[in-house]
Amino acid sequence: MEQHNPHGNARALLPIGVFLVLYLGFGLFFEYILKIPMGFYNIPIVVIFLVALLVACLQNPLLSLDEKMVLMGKGVGDKNIIIMILIFMTAGIFVGVVGRNSADSVAYFLLSAIPAQFSVAVLFLVACFVSLSMGTSVGTITLITPIALSVAEASGFTVPLCVASVIGGAMFGDNLSFISDTTIAACNGQGCKMKDKFRSNFAIALPAALVSLAVILFLSFGQYTGQAVLEEYSLIQVIPYLLVLIGGIVGINVFVVLMLGIVSGSIIMLATGATAATDLLANMGSGAAGMFETTMVAILVSAICALIRAYGGFDALLHGIKQVFKGKKGGQLGMGLLVGAMDIATANNTVAIVMANPIAKEMSSDYGISPRKTASLLDTFSCVFQGIIPYGAQMLVALSAANELGYQLSAFQVIPNLFYPFLLLISSLLFIFVIPERKIDQM
């Protein structure tokens, strides 16, 4: 093998380079040259990862193909990878069960209970709650953006402000939710408990959310000219969300929490007539199937990373990082920029975390950074970049919803109003360079 070199083998990183070049290249070509809507998300990412895996298998002739298969099997068979996949599937079933009605009920209840001049702040809070409960920023944006457009039309608030508030709130929950695929990937990749990561993450995210809310309220006073948006709602449909949210915060096992959510959601949806029994089963299947690509990415990345580690690629990458980032604080910034770069290249924060996980785990050991802090940094920085990039799924879904309803909206109108992702970045940097880690551990 080639890993005896203390500086590692930089050539072993070629599969990552191949993936990034192909995925980013095709994405830019589809999105900006062929003008295909959601161009990045028309690329079969599983196929690109398979090409990268083939490149990894063709490297290092000192190992036979059978030996490489053994290495890949060990990588994929890691306990944390298995747990991650099972949680992905269960979380998908939960989201399939609760569906759209529960999210709408949360939004319309708050819009009816709070004065109309605070409607944009309500949108932000609703997006925070729904994404925190459902664990999906894209799903939250898909559900809440049409309501945001109705608020803009009825109240006089600008469309970019309303849409950006939904995106910001959705990224808050994506970052913190116990059943978010980013949280699942970060925690299982680093081997830390979700409640510990939540505590570390919450201390960083809450100040950014509160300041964002204050900015939204300040801007709201000068824009409101209309009326409230009133629709029917059913508060009983919010119960599954609350059970999942509370169960996660108090530290109940994530599988138990999700099963409570699935069972309670199923009973409520059937009892209220919101879903027929046959449709409920179909929704469960659709929810689980929706996690197929994420699951396959986790499996393929685990196999690729097992080979790269054996070839000495991670040693080379860590050697390069240590030359640039010095000390514990520098290591934390290096982790954040690493996952941020992966996110910019892949436009997918879960994929970015899965790719960065094994490298970050090595860094956490070398720099003396706790697993909970590492998981928090990976999730936070990935959400910062994912919330801002104009070609991310979150932005594209929001723009698509607006365009379908007749609003001509561009990403560059929305980005200046994305207060939460920018403030989350500032908060993250403060917690790296200003606030001692022991202060976070005491929270």
Side-chain angles (χ1 to χ4, degrees):
M1 293 191 190
E2 302 175 30
Q3 70 270 28
H4 63 275
N5 185 345
H7 294 167
N9 175 20
R11 288 175 296 175
L13 297 170
L14 180 62
I16 295 177
V18 168
F19 169 80
L20 295 177
V21 168
L22 289 177
Y23 189 78
L24 188 59
F26 278 120
L28 293 172
F29 181 72
F30 287 172
E31 187 78 34
Y32 298 106
I33 297 178
L34 297 183
K35 304 295 183 183
I36 298 174
M38 301 283 287
F40 272 87
Y41 298 90
N42 282 288
I43 303 170
I45 192 170
V46 171
V47 174
I48 304 298
F49 269 121
L50 279 171
V51 174
L53 181 60
L54 175 62
V55 171
C57 288
L58 293 175
Q59 289 183 296
N60 196 351
L62 296 179
L63 291 176
S64 68
L65 181 60
D66 188 61
E67 289 173 313
K68 292 173 183 176
M69 290 291 181
V70 170
L71 288 172
M72 287 189 283
K74 289 180 179 178
V76 174
D78 183 87
K79 181 188 76 171
N80 290 321
I81 299 299
I82 301 301
I83 293 173
M84 185 192 308
I85 291 170
L86 292 175
I87 297 175
F88 281 153
M89 295 291 103
T90 315
I93 292 171
F94 170 73
V95 174
V97 167
V98 295
R100 180 185 188 110
N101 292 336
S102 299
D104 287 352
S105 292
V106 174
Y108 290 128
F109 166 67
L110 289 177
L111 286 170
S112 67
I114 297 175
Q117 57 265 38
F118 303 123
S119 295
V120 183
V122 169
L123 290 173
F124 178 75
L125 292 172
V126 167
C128 287
F129 176 80
V130 172
S131 59
L132 194 58
S133 305
M134 290 180 65
T136 165
S137 55
V138 173
T140 299
I141 293 166
T142 301
L143 297 175
I144 308 300
T145 297
I147 300 174
L149 297 171
S150 298
V151 167
E153 185 175 348
S155 62
F157 293 113
T158 65
V159 171
L161 177 63
C162 291
V163 171
S165 297
V166 172
I167 295 175
M171 297 314 299
F172 173 85
D174 191 301
N175 184 205
L176 286 174
S177 174
F178 287 86
I179 59 172
S180 166
D181 45 7
T182 58
T183 296
I184 296 165
C187 290
N188 284 281
Q190 300 306 315
C192 74
K193 294 181 180 178
M194 290 188 181
K195 66 176 183 179
D196 291 337
K197 181 261 184 188
F198 177 85
R199 287 170 57 198
S200 181
N201 226 155
F202 189 71
I204 299 171
L206 182 61
L210 292 176
V211 176
S212 299
L213 185 60
V215 172
I216 291 170
L217 287 170
F218 176 77
L219 294 176
S220 297
F221 289 121
Q223 290 190 22
Y224 176 69
T225 59
Q227 57 190 359
V229 176
L230 300 176
E231 296 285 346
E232 292 184 359
Y233 57 85
S234 173
L235 283 182
I236 194 174
Q237 294 180 357
V238 181
I239 291 176
Y241 286 159
L242 292 174
L243 289 175
V244 168
L245 187 57
I246 294 170
I249 291 173
V250 300
I252 299 174
N253 181 279
V254 65
F255 287 111
V256 175
V257 169
L258 285 169
M259 289 307 300
L260 284 173
I262 292 168
V263 172
S264 63
S266 299
I267 293 171
I268 289 170
M269 290 299 168
L270 292 173
T272 59
T275 306
T278 52
D279 291 337
L280 182 67
L281 291 173
N283 292 341
M284 287 182 179
S286 297
M291 289 293 187
F292 170 77
E293 186 173 82
T294 303
T295 300
M296 289 307 303
V297 165
I299 292 171
L300 291 172
V301 170
S302 299
I304 293 169
C305 288
L307 294 178
I308 292 174
R309 180 184 287 108
Y311 299 167
F314 287 167
D315 291 336
L317 186 58
L318 286 169
H319 176 73
I321 289 172
K322 287 178 182 177
Q323 300 303 305
V324 179
F325 300 100
K326 307 295 183 181
K328 189 173 182 179
K329 292 180 179 180
Q332 292 177 63
L333 179 61
M335 282 181 184
L337 295 179
L338 172 68
V339 76
M342 296 289 189
D343 188 80
I344 290 171
T346 62
N348 187 310
N349 48 344
T350 304
V351 173
I353 291 172
V354 171
M355 292 179 68
N357 252 332
I359 304 167
K361 192 159 189 176
E362 301 276 356
M363 290 176 66
S364 68
S365 176
D366 288 359
Y367 283 96
I369 303 168
S370 65
R372 61 184 274 185
K373 187 61 180 286
T374 302
S376 175
L377 287 169
L378 291 176
D379 205 343
T380 300
F381 274 86
S382 71
C383 284
V384 166
F385 287 92
Q386 186 67 23
I388 295 170
I389 55 175
Y391 51 88
Q394 289 77 3
M395 180 69 73
L396 295 176
V397 165
L399 297 179
S400 176
N403 292 333
E404 284 178 7
L405 294 174
Y407 296 89
Q408 297 301 312
L409 190 65
S410 76
F412 298 101
Q413 291 174 290
V414 176
I415 289 173
N417 295 282
L418 287 170
F419 310 119
Y420 177 73
F422 289 111
L423 288 167
L424 182 61
L425 175 60
I426 294 171
S427 182
S428 300
L429 294 175
L430 287 174
F431 272 83
I432 290 175
F433 293 104
V434 178
I435 301 174
E437 187 170 356
R438 64 178 178 274
K439 292 287 186 182
I440 302 176
D441 293 338
Q442 294 169 0
M443 294 180 180

